[in-house]
Amino acid sequence: MSNKEFKGVISLDVRDSQPDWEPYELKKAPEGAPNVLIVLYDDTGLAAWSPFGGRINMPTLQKLADNGLMYSQWHTTALCSPTRSTFLTGRNHHVNRCACITEGSNGFPGAAGRLPAECATIGQVLQDNGYSTYWLGKNHNVPEEDIASGGTRSEWPLAKGFDRFYGFLGGETNNWYPDLVEDNKFIEQPYGPEDGYHLSKDLADQALTMIRDQKASNPSKPWFMWLCPGANHAPHHCPQEYADKYKGMFDDGYEAYREWVHTRMIEKGILPKDTALTPINPLPAEVADLAPGDAVRPWDSLNADEKKLFARMAEVFAGFSEYTDVQVGRVIDYLEKTGQLDNTIVFYCADNGASGEGSPNGSVNENKFFNGYPDELSENLKYLEVLGGPDTYNHYPTGWAVAFSTPFPMFKRYSQFSGGTCDPLVIHWPKGIKSKGEVRHQYHHSTDIVPTILDVIGIEMPEEYRGVKQYPLNGVSMRYSFDAKPDGPTEKKRQYYTMLGTRGIWENGWKASALHAPLTNVGKFDQDKWQLFHVDTDRAESKDLSAEHPEKLEELIKIWFEEADKNFVLPLDDRTATIMLGVARPQAELPRNRYIYYPGTAPVPEGVAVNIRGRSYKIVADVEITDVNCKGVIFAHGSRFGGHSLFIKDKKLFYVYNFLGIKPEQKFISGELTPGKYTLGMEFIREGAGQYGESLGTTKLYVNEKVVAEGPMKTQPGKFTLSGDGLCIGRDSGDNVSEEYSNPGTFKGGEILGVGVDVSEEVYIDLELEAHSKFVLD
């Protein structure tokens, strides 16, 4: 609504008065304004997809590329949340207070984790200018502590200018059992994988529904849609028939793939003819030794079983990518059939380089990476035949991350190298782009997407929004490149990079890169050695020119510090994932040692649920059994890939701690229970720590005050999951924690009065009495 003065006539009687609607009219979009569709994949290097020379068939993307433009030097921040923040605002990620993922916020100006009022979003601007606005799929821009049913919605999509949201708020989710949010509420998935459910399909269904609904009621309004599938982030999940399409296609290994795709990229004009191929392990020893989990095992050093496993992991990843592209294709086909595609500008891209989070050995449970716990090949091989299905949370090894980031050094998280930042981008807009199937080599960045959208539509980012003066856009419009020569000059002049302790700076074709590994907890940034590359002539960043041009290197280092000062970059943070994710952050609730939960409530996300990591804890439940066949979940938190659960099965009380999905599950079982009133629970007494920070100790299972089972147990050093599987009472949402029951394991044949979880040092028996009285009174 505008602030225009009312110019009608107001009298005592409405019949003697004249209305004036103008101050109350909503703005309309400029005449002929296009629809905007952004398809933003995760974790995908430049060398993965077929339009850019890769081996992964992407029929929808290929169709768009053949009739649009491919960008060979489009860059991101090297990590998901920060890149997504730049898509929201057109400002650098530190300006958005998003130095790394939202779970890693640390309270400094550039890393506070909440979008400042000085950064209006593209959703807000377009919503105010006559657009319908939709966000589907991944978010990962809501602070972890806000992801709760009772939490503030101030950072949720609907508060950031989006009319509708359907997707997940965390950094990843199980594609077979996702943690879904619709608009401002948590919901259950509409049906299960046994009935054909997959998140990519569901997102396409929802996207089509939103567009159809909009055109049915407001056909004249253009729309903006941000479609962010779970692909290609771990877990790599897809229907088996899609993985099987790639059988044998990666048997030659990742070094052979790099050589093959390098040639293809040159032939297709993605890379200049003289582009070099960097080594698979490019870091100098003094840096590489600090990050052994980022090393690549040469293919020839693998045994036959390892090669078979690693090749299958690549097949599943490829199938995941193509399956999702086919789902996006359903949206594109609909736009074409309904005459909307011609004036819809489509940005099809990825948020950072290929992911190295699978370790040198790959993983059947990517959450091990975030717990600092190594994978074992013998464990992974057990899941060879079911990779990509509901039984795995798989991620390929680092060798494929390097291969899919060809020809550059390294991969995701390494912001100083293009392996972490250079990503595929296709722009398709038949009404506004004359050139078809061409490559553009102009250097650009994810901050440039918002200015491009505004330029195409014909509106500007407001200098003041809701009474707050706005930060200027850091990005520049790419529209000039639509009709430019492929090798024409770029209008981007400078871009800094920094992520998880790594850093670099690009200016006018030159790039300086600091040698530092992410998440190493080393610090000593003042001792970093810098390299210099002339990327205009050395696209792969293969030749260090620091010795030949020391003055140029010093100039660029100085510029990096200038940009750091302007963009709230410091302090740098390279602490390990376990340390960073465990930082205490402000909570809406005061810290406490006792948590009370009741049945019938929505799952409590891990960010606000009781934290049992690295400590002793007790679970106490007041339960009345009314049926001799009573069964079901009393308490559950996590999933089959890490979590714990207290439940009744076969008339017995079970407590299962599922340590990172590693079999066998740690189980404690009582004798038979008969109908009656009980206090049921368990106690873990921490006695020390293991090699990887896991807690070691003794667990006791209780029926009333009696210990009915006892034995050693270990608990995870880090989170159960980044996917958002919450703490539940009376059922297990999403994927079930234990193999002893099936989802949702709803409690039947009795009543749960309440469940208490205690992380203080008080003994179980005292808590039993206190909990019983509390639940009765409540």
Side-chain angles (χ1 to χ4, degrees):
M1 188 177 71
S2 72
N3 294 319
K4 293 182 179 179
E5 181 183 354
F6 179 79
K7 295 181 180 179
V9 175
I10 299 176
S11 299
L12 178 63
D13 192 324
V14 70
R15 286 169 285 272
D16 299 325
S17 304
Q18 293 181 355
D20 177 15
W21 284 106
E22 186 178 0
Y24 310 103
E25 287 181 337
L26 296 174
K27 279 187 179 180
K28 291 186 177 180
E31 188 69 27
N35 302 315
V36 181
L37 172 62
I38 301 175
V39 180
L40 185 63
Y41 269 64
D42 240 297
D43 292 3
T44 305
L46 190 66
W49 288 339
S50 53
F52 293 83
R55 205 171 280 177
I56 300 176
N57 183 36
M58 301 286 284
T60 304
L61 182 61
Q62 189 68 62
K63 174 181 176 180
L64 297 174
D66 290 344
N67 293 280
L69 299 173
M70 293 177 286
Y71 285 78
S72 69
Q73 290 200 90
W74 181 77
H75 291 261
T76 60
T77 70
L79 208 62
C80 48
S81 297
T83 294
R84 289 161 193 272
S85 81
T86 67
F87 270 81
L88 272 175
T89 74
R91 285 93 170 181
N92 284 318
H93 58 298
H94 290 87
V95 177
N96 294 326
R97 309 300 189 246
C98 196
C100 72
I101 58 174
T102 53
E103 293 88 349
S105 60
N106 62 22
F108 292 97
R114 295 181 183 275
L115 200 63
E118 293 86 351
C119 293
T121 73
I122 185 66
Q124 290 167 327
V125 173
L126 294 187
Q127 192 180 59
D128 289 352
N129 281 274
Y131 270 74
S132 297
T133 54
Y134 308 116
W135 189 342
L136 296 109
K138 179 172 174 174
N139 170 275
H140 211 193
N141 288 107
V142 173
E144 183 184 40
E145 57 269 26
D146 292 358
I147 303 177
S149 293
T152 174
R153 300 296 194 269
S154 63
E155 298 294 319
W156 286 39
L158 267 60
K160 296 301 176 184
F162 290 87
D163 298 327
R164 297 294 312 279
F165 174 75
Y166 185 94
F168 58 100
L169 298 179
E172 64 187 38
T173 197
N174 189 319
N175 293 278
W176 302 113
Y177 297 99
D179 300 281
L180 291 175
V181 167
E182 184 175 33
D183 297 332
N184 269 343
K185 66 179 185 297
F186 294 96
I187 63 168
E188 298 291 338
Q189 66 188 85
Y191 53 98
E194 64 277 4
D195 296 317
Y197 184 89
H198 188 284
L199 178 61
S200 296
K201 180 178 182 292
D202 189 15
L203 294 176
D205 290 342
Q206 297 296 329
L208 289 168
T209 297
M210 290 180 188
I211 295 171
R212 287 171 179 149
D213 288 350
Q214 196 258 12
K215 288 304 173 185
S217 60
N218 296 84
S220 65
K221 287 183 70 174
W223 48 263
F224 170 86
M225 177 173 285
W226 197 9
L227 177 56
C228 306
N232 281 321
H233 199 290
H236 301 156
H237 285 155
C238 71
Q240 184 174 334
E241 60 267 28
Y242 274 83
D244 288 348
K245 292 174 70 172
Y246 291 89
K247 276 192 172 180
M249 290 183 64
F250 297 98
D251 287 354
D252 52 350
Y254 25 76
E255 288 106 332
Y257 180 90
R258 293 184 82 224
E259 293 175 1
W260 175 86
V261 77
H262 180 249
T263 301
R264 290 260 300 165
M265 294 170 82
I266 291 174
E267 290 173 351
K268 291 177 71 70
I270 303 298
L271 299 176
K273 292 181 179 179
D274 58 353
T275 301
L277 186 60
T278 56
I280 60 169
N281 285 305
L283 297 177
E286 61 270 24
V287 177
D289 289 346
L290 298 172
D294 289 345
V296 175
R297 298 178 63 200
W299 192 259
D300 289 344
S301 71
L302 306 179
N303 63 39
D305 284 341
E306 291 169 338
K307 289 179 179 178
K308 187 176 181 181
L309 175 67
F310 289 11
R312 184 56 177 174
M313 286 177 164
E315 293 167 9
V316 171
F317 175 79
F320 185 26
S321 196
E322 181 180 346
Y323 175 74
T324 301
D325 179 79
V326 169
Q327 302 310 312
V328 175
R330 295 169 52 214
V331 178
I332 297 298
D333 289 346
Y334 176 76
L335 297 180
E336 191 169 25
K337 290 176 183 177
T338 56
Q340 297 183 67
L341 187 61
D342 187 61
N343 196 28
T344 298
I345 184 167
V346 181
F347 300 84
Y348 200 128
C349 44
D351 67 357
N352 46 243
S355 172
E357 288 153 20
S359 82
N361 294 328
S363 181
V364 297
N365 182 1
E366 185 232 13
N367 197 34
K368 291 179 182 178
F369 171 84
F370 295 104
N371 276 265
Y373 203 84
D375 279 276
E376 292 184 10
L377 286 164
S378 59
E379 175 76 12
N380 291 352
L381 282 166
K382 296 176 185 176
Y383 294 88
L384 177 64
E385 300 303 323
V386 294
L387 280 174
D391 290 328
T392 61
Y393 209 87
N394 47 298
H395 193 304
Y396 57 48
T398 48
W400 292 118
V402 172
F404 293 134
S405 297
T406 301
F408 310 114
M410 302 314 290
F411 34 73
K412 174 184 177 182
R413 294 179 282 117
Y414 284 84
S415 70
Q416 72 271 55
F417 297 122
S418 287
T421 67
C422 191
D423 293 287
L425 168 67
V426 166
I427 301 180
H428 179 272
W429 184 29
K431 185 176 180 179
I433 299 177
K434 298 177 182 178
S435 302
K436 308 295 180 187
E438 294 184 2
V439 179
R440 292 291 182 266
H441 297 291
Q442 288 79 14
Y443 194 100
H444 279 287
H445 187 264
S446 56
T447 53
D448 302 332
I449 299 297
V450 165
T452 304
I453 293 171
L454 296 177
D455 189 5
V456 162
I457 293 172
I459 59 178
E460 295 181 354
M461 181 65 70
E463 294 184 6
E464 185 177 293
Y465 184 75
R466 295 181 180 175
V468 179
K469 184 178 180 181
Q470 297 293 288
Y471 289 128
L473 295 176
N474 297 119
V476 301
S477 173
M478 301 169 64
R479 188 176 187 180
Y480 75 93
S481 69
F482 296 173
D483 299 316
K485 294 180 179 179
D487 290 308
T490 179
E491 294 190 4
K492 188 84 169 178
K493 301 304 178 187
R494 177 187 293 185
Q495 182 62 49
Y496 81 88
Y497 296 94
T498 182
M499 187 59 58
L500 303 172
T502 68
R503 50 187 166 150
I505 181 75
W506 175 91
E507 184 181 63
N508 295 326
W510 288 84
K511 185 176 180 182
S513 302
L515 284 171
H516 200 104
L519 302 174
T520 52
N521 202 34
V522 171
K524 301 179 182 179
F525 299 107
D526 58 334
Q527 299 177 26
D528 285 349
K529 178 185 176 183
W530 288 74
Q531 295 179 319
L532 177 69
F533 305 104
H534 190 201
V535 292
D536 274 357
T537 59
D538 176 20
R539 185 73 64 81
E541 303 166 9
S542 65
K543 187 177 181 181
D544 178 13
L545 301 176
S546 58
E548 290 92 328
H549 301 283
E551 72 292 338
K552 187 66 178 179
L553 179 61
E554 288 302 316
E555 175 190 347
L556 288 174
I557 294 173
K558 181 180 178 182
I559 290 171
W560 185 89
F561 278 98
E562 290 174 359
E563 291 297 297
D565 184 58
K566 289 191 297 186
N567 289 279
F568 314 102
V569 169
L570 299 179
L572 299 177
D573 189 352
D574 69 348
R575 290 174 294 177
T576 65
T578 303
I579 295 173
M580 189 178 294
L581 298 180
V583 168
R585 297 176 181 88
Q587 301 281 341
E589 299 293 327
L590 293 175
R592 60 193 192 276
N593 291 328
R594 297 179 186 178
Y595 294 73
I596 305 298
Y597 300 108
Y598 298 96
T601 57
V604 182
E606 186 155 6
V608 295
V610 58
N611 175 9
I612 64 167
R613 298 187 296 274
R615 58 178 65 178
S616 301
Y617 63 93
K618 294 159 281 287
I619 302 173
V620 183
D622 257 22
V623 176
E624 182 175 5
I625 297 175
T626 56
D627 187 328
V628 68
N629 294 313
C630 176
K631 64 179 181 178
V633 171
I634 298 170
F635 167 99
H637 189 192
S639 72
R640 77 175 71 187
F641 306 107
H644 61 144
S645 181
L646 187 70
F647 57 95
I648 295 175
K649 177 186 176 182
D650 299 331
K651 305 177 185 178
K652 300 175 182 179
L653 177 67
F654 283 66
Y655 175 71
V656 169
Y657 193 103
N658 184 343
F659 185 90
L660 288 168
I662 300 171
K663 301 295 176 63
E665 297 176 345
Q666 301 175 99
K667 300 176 184 177
F668 302 86
I669 309 171
S670 76
E672 287 193 5
L673 302 174
T674 58
K677 294 182 178 181
Y678 293 93
T679 300
L680 305 175
M682 57 74 58
E683 178 177 22
F684 173 68
I685 303 167
R686 186 179 187 273
E687 296 159 352
Q691 180 181 358
Y692 303 105
E694 67 274 29
S695 292
L696 306 177
T698 299
T699 287
K700 298 178 181 180
L701 185 69
Y702 286 86
V703 174
N704 296 326
E705 74 282 356
K706 184 179 179 181
V707 176
V708 293
E710 182 175 359
M713 194 178 83
K714 61 181 178 180
T715 66
Q716 293 178 195
K719 293 177 178 291
F720 289 129
T721 175
L722 290 186
S723 68
D725 258 333
L727 185 157
C728 299
I729 304 298
R731 64 189 180 100
D732 189 348
S733 70
D735 199 12
N736 42 290
V737 169
S738 174
E739 62 189 359
E740 292 288 344
Y741 59 86
S742 300
N743 164 275
T746 305
F747 188 80
K748 298 177 180 178
E751 180 182 9
I752 302 170
L753 298 178
V755 179
V757 185
D758 188 279
V759 290
S760 69
E761 296 300 321
E762 294 199 31
V763 296
Y764 178 90
I765 303 301
D766 292 341
L767 291 169
E768 177 203 2
L769 298 173
E770 181 179 328
H772 180 67
S773 62
K774 179 173 179 57
F775 294 142
V776 170
L777 291 172
D778 285 349

